[in-house]
Amino acid sequence: MKKFNHFFLWMLSIGLMPILGCEKIIEAGLVSEDTSLNRSASLLTGPYNSDITGQIVDYSGKIAEVYADVFTQVASGVDETEINFKNTDGDTIRAFITRINLNTPGLLLRTATPYDRAPSLNTNTGKNHVQVITGMGKHIHYGSQKVLAGINGDFYDVSNNIARGPVHRNGVVWKDSFTGSPTLPQQALSFVGVRADGTPFIAGKSDYLTHKSSLIEATGAGVLLIQNGLVVDNSSLPQLAGEPRTAIGYTAGNLVYMLVIDGRAPGYSMGARYSMLSAIMKALQVENAVNLDGGGSSTKMIRMPIADTLKVINRPSDIAGARAVANGWVVVANYQVSTVAGATTYGFVNGIGTAARFRNPDGVVMDHQGNIIVTDRTNHSIRKMTSAGVVTTLAGNGTAGYANGIPGQFNFPWQSAIDANGNIIVVEKDGARIRKIATNGSVSTIAGTGIPGFLDGTGAKFNNPLDAVVDSYGNTFVVDRDNKRIRKITTSGVVSTFVGDGTVNILKNPIALAIDLQNNLYVSDANTIKRITPSKVITKIIGDGIKGFNDGIKGQPLTAQLGDVFGLCFDTKGRLFLADASNHVIRKVTPSTTGDWTGSIVTTIAGTGTAGKLDGLAKSANFNNPYDVVADASGNIYVADNLNNCIRRISY
């Protein structure tokens, strides 16, 4: 939500807003909803909720009875099946299977490492760092990728925490050797990789050097389970029947399966031999599969759809729970950019999607119904856009002027805010006024005479006001750029100076505002972001003050370099998004903990830094002077792409 609409967030907190996505956990025997992955209904021999269950029952030859199957749609292209069954030996088994459709735009399989960095020595222990898979996933989430599911990876030497096999991460080779153990012949036998085109690859270690240069991501692994569609006989290798097991494999159609079978718990889950893993993978039509690190390391996590948090869903056999490991495999969703409405050809046209026309949209804010309110600057109007891209005009007639009433007239409105009653507060830059659009569409003037200048109190004047927010008490705060002040307007219309003295001593060039739930203001000022408490304490939290384009050192936000940030907004998780207009990118700032910006991480989530118009993968997309951003309850980010005359959406 642009500038944190307090009323909207309160509704979210008590569950009154419409749920835009839901977690679906369905017990056996109930009717399942659409899974987003095509099911083969002809395979189902029972009332199973997941087609995966039906395939394994039909083709594995390992299941005597299914007690329950639980299906969860994690995200588009990713789902989770938990099967509780009795095998043909009479043992109770719990299997957890993540299916990943890599044909889904934005999905990518990648290596996870402790703290999302190269393996390094933990000086406190003298061993390499290890971390639980959820911890690895949370560190990856700081960037433009969202972790949806994950599994533990390669075996590692417990004496030094060094992985047995190679490790590639994002095209960088961190380890390129296999370090096996004479007492553990089931380790350091194979590898899992991802090629530059995003397709997975599994082979034995003898093939590693041949394929090394083509692998963007890679870890070592254990015994091959299926090779080129044929089951591998591993009966001669040492294995205990009651061990937890972990595996990964892929089909010819780019479906990846992550499998964990719990063990060491008779009555709950007995565990499995390699033959069980192979049979399940073969039933799922997997072409190549491999055993990953098992035993106490066997861990499966998914992102819970409603809570939007990573959670271990199996029962790791270690007493302490999920074990810290050397690496893992995760599936991530990459931000995608699309055009919701408008086109590079400007105009003043209502309509749907690219048939609608804007002219230099400057501001986006979300109303209480989830619509995007667009401040359409050079059309001198305020527009409304639904999430489906239906555009209508709320106020203004397309011509510069000054008129209250319906439809009213504006003179280059810049940005807007929403108050608790649903009124739209419009900052009229060239008109030097603050206007209000009531819920019935009637336009009125809150403050300003129309003559640029500076004056508090009665007959207040503004000089190039650009942005506004409304606090939880109904006060409106205005960033008054050329007066180098933040102004405050009470609910009774009294105007005063909140901070700033008209010189560069306090504020140099304030241009955008946001507000958090504690009524702290955040102002974009001279290539920095400053935080202003209700008691007027000002702290620089982001940026070194030098105009540039650099995300800086991770966890040191004052080393980042910002361009002209004309738009700020918070999402529901307390992350701050920046519309960096002069760099043509959207940036994200993630605090180390809620409200603590000292160790926050700055990342560029969309845009290349070059002006243009290109949809698709966010890191390759182009914007042209993005002036504002707003986030909805589902985490979609809407961008006022000013010189492209359209509204863009960034989503997973």
Side-chain angles (χ1 to χ4, degrees):
M1 287 118 295
K2 161 97 172 158
K3 334 298 189 210
F4 251 156
N5 184 316
H6 286 77
F7 180 77
F8 185 76
L9 287 179
W10 173 77
M11 292 179 75
L12 276 176
S13 69
I14 63 174
L16 291 179
M17 294 303 293
I19 297 175
L20 303 180
C22 63
E23 178 182 346
K24 186 164 44 186
I25 298 179
I26 309 170
E27 292 295 335
L30 301 181
V31 178
S32 171
E33 299 178 40
D34 179 25
T35 70
S36 297
L37 293 177
N38 293 329
R39 295 185 175 185
S40 302
S42 61
L43 293 176
L44 303 183
T45 57
Y48 307 122
N49 297 299
S50 172
D51 60 318
I52 286 178
T53 304
Q55 285 181 265
I56 295 172
V57 169
D58 287 346
Y59 297 120
S60 71
K62 296 291 185 180
I63 296 183
E65 181 181 358
V66 175
Y67 300 130
D69 71 326
V70 179
F71 178 85
T72 304
Q73 186 70 46
V74 178
S76 178
V78 180
D79 58 38
E80 180 69 28
T81 296
E82 177 187 348
I83 312 173
N84 180 12
F85 64 93
K86 180 171 69 175
N87 68 12
T88 51
D89 294 327
D91 298 319
T92 298
I93 303 293
R94 299 265 183 169
F96 301 81
I97 306 169
T98 304
R99 173 171 50 185
I100 304 152
N101 186 347
L102 288 181
N103 301 304
T104 306
L107 288 190
L108 177 69
L109 193 66
R110 58 162 288 186
T111 307
T113 56
Y115 307 100
D116 199 29
R117 64 190 185 199
S120 59
L121 189 67
N122 181 347
T123 55
N124 292 327
T125 66
K127 302 179 180 181
N128 271 8
H129 281 285
V130 290
Q131 192 177 28
V132 298
I133 190 67
T134 49
M136 295 184 200
K138 289 174 182 176
H139 278 78
I140 293 170
H141 191 51
Y142 281 131
S144 60
Q145 297 178 332
K146 183 176 185 177
V147 176
L148 301 176
I151 196 170
N152 55 281
D154 193 13
F155 295 88
Y156 59 97
D157 186 337
V158 295
S159 69
N160 54 25
N161 291 342
I162 295 175
R164 293 289 188 187
V167 182
H168 297 203
R169 171 69 194 93
N170 197 27
V172 179
V173 179
W174 287 338
K175 186 173 182 284
D176 62 357
S177 61
F178 290 83
T179 51
S181 166
T183 61
L184 299 168
Q186 72 274 35
Q187 300 182 11
L189 297 178
S190 61
F191 63 92
V192 183
V194 176
R195 292 171 287 210
D197 62 359
T199 57
F201 185 75
I202 289 174
K205 69 178 179 181
S206 61
D207 293 321
Y208 171 68
L209 291 180
T210 301
H211 298 278
K212 170 184 170 182
S213 62
S214 67
L215 301 178
I216 303 301
E217 313 280 334
T219 73
V223 301
L224 287 165
L225 301 170
I226 297 179
Q227 192 168 25
N228 299 321
L230 300 176
V231 172
V232 178
D233 182 3
N234 294 301
S235 58
S236 63
L237 288 172
Q239 51 186 309
L240 298 175
E243 284 297 291
R245 301 287 179 190
T246 312
I248 190 169
Y250 57 87
T251 71
N254 267 344
L255 293 181
V256 171
Y257 291 93
M258 295 176 174
L259 167 65
V260 167
I261 294 180
D262 279 343
R264 299 179 183 171
Y268 165 76
S269 187
M270 186 62 187
R273 296 183 184 273
Y274 299 132
S275 58
M276 171 71 80
L277 301 183
S278 298
I280 291 176
M281 288 293 189
K282 182 64 177 176
L284 297 173
Q285 303 178 27
V286 165
E287 290 289 309
N288 291 281
V290 69
N291 174 230
L292 296 170
D293 187 11
S297 297
S298 298
T299 307
K300 169 70 76 65
M301 71 171 178
I302 64 170
R303 181 169 294 280
M304 304 307 289
I306 292 178
D308 194 28
T309 56
L310 294 172
K311 181 181 179 181
V312 173
I313 58 171
N314 71 310
R315 188 186 294 180
S317 60
D318 280 4
I319 295 175
R323 179 185 294 182
V325 294
N327 55 49
W329 282 97
V330 294
V331 56
V332 299
N334 288 269
Y335 276 126
Q336 301 280 309
V337 176
S338 59
T339 300
V340 185
T344 52
T345 302
Y346 64 79
F348 185 36
V349 180
N350 292 328
I352 301 174
T354 56
R357 291 291 183 270
F358 301 95
R359 188 169 186 177
N360 303 122
D362 269 4
V364 282
V365 62
M366 185 165 291
D367 69 13
H368 296 164
Q369 290 73 45
N371 301 302
I372 307 299
I373 305 303
V374 181
T375 311
D376 195 2
R377 185 222 304 171
T378 312
N379 279 325
H380 313 286
S381 63
I382 306 301
R383 318 285 290 280
K384 181 176 80 172
M385 184 191 79
T386 69
S387 60
V390 179
V391 177
T392 54
T393 300
L394 292 178
N397 60 10
T399 303
Y402 173 66
N404 288 324
I406 298 176
Q409 274 187 297
F410 301 89
N411 189 2
F412 290 96
W414 195 265
Q415 292 195 12
S416 302
I418 305 287
D419 68 15
N421 297 317
N423 301 303
I424 303 169
I425 309 301
V426 181
V427 179
E428 190 179 18
K429 175 180 174 292
D430 286 23
R433 298 180 178 93
I434 310 303
R435 315 287 292 283
K436 181 175 77 173
I437 306 172
T439 54
N440 66 359
S442 181
V443 179
S444 60
T445 300
I446 298 174
T449 64
I451 300 173
F454 170 68
L455 183 66
D456 282 335
T458 303
K461 293 182 179 181
F462 302 86
N463 195 356
N464 279 325
L466 299 183
D467 202 359
V469 296
V470 181
D471 71 8
S472 60
Y473 301 102
N475 301 302
T476 299
F477 293 85
V478 179
V479 59
D480 193 2
R481 184 186 68 183
D482 288 2
N483 281 323
K484 297 177 173 53
R485 291 174 167 91
I486 305 296
R487 313 287 289 280
K488 177 181 176 181
I489 307 173
T490 67
T491 54
S492 58
V494 177
V495 179
S496 61
T497 294
F498 184 65
V499 295
D501 61 1
T503 73
V504 297
N505 293 328
I506 299 175
L507 298 175
K508 296 180 180 180
N509 186 40
I511 55 177
L513 275 180
I515 191 167
D516 66 19
L517 289 173
Q518 290 72 44
N519 290 321
N520 299 297
L521 298 178
Y522 296 77
V523 57
S524 170
D525 181 34
N527 312 114
T528 66
I529 307 299
K530 295 175 179 176
R531 179 176 181 264
I532 307 173
T533 69
S535 59
K536 304 182 182 182
V537 176
I538 303 175
T539 306
K540 183 173 72 171
I541 60 170
I542 305 162
D544 64 3
I546 299 172
K547 187 174 183 178
F549 179 28
N550 191 326
D551 286 341
I553 300 170
K554 188 174 182 179
Q556 298 182 33
L558 296 181
T559 64
Q561 290 186 328
L562 308 178
D564 299 321
V565 177
F566 277 106
L568 300 171
C569 81
F570 281 97
D571 69 1
T572 57
K573 295 183 179 301
R575 298 173 298 200
L576 184 63
F577 291 83
L578 320 179
D580 193 339
S582 56
N583 284 321
H584 313 289
V585 294
I586 306 302
R587 325 271 293 264
K588 177 174 71 176
V589 187
T590 305
S592 50
T593 58
T594 303
D596 180 7
W597 302 97
T598 56
S600 58
I601 296 172
V602 180
T603 52
T604 298
I605 65 167
T608 64
T610 301
K613 172 67 163 59
L614 181 65
D615 286 339
L617 195 64
K619 65 180 182 181
S620 304
N622 294 123
F623 300 87
N624 195 349
N625 277 49
Y627 262 44
D628 201 10
V629 284
V630 63
D632 69 14
S634 296
N636 301 302
I637 303 158
Y638 294 86
V639 181
D641 196 2
N642 184 274
L643 293 185
N644 279 325
N645 303 298
C646 59
I647 306 302
R648 315 281 291 280
R649 178 166 54 211
I650 306 171
S651 58
Y652 286 117

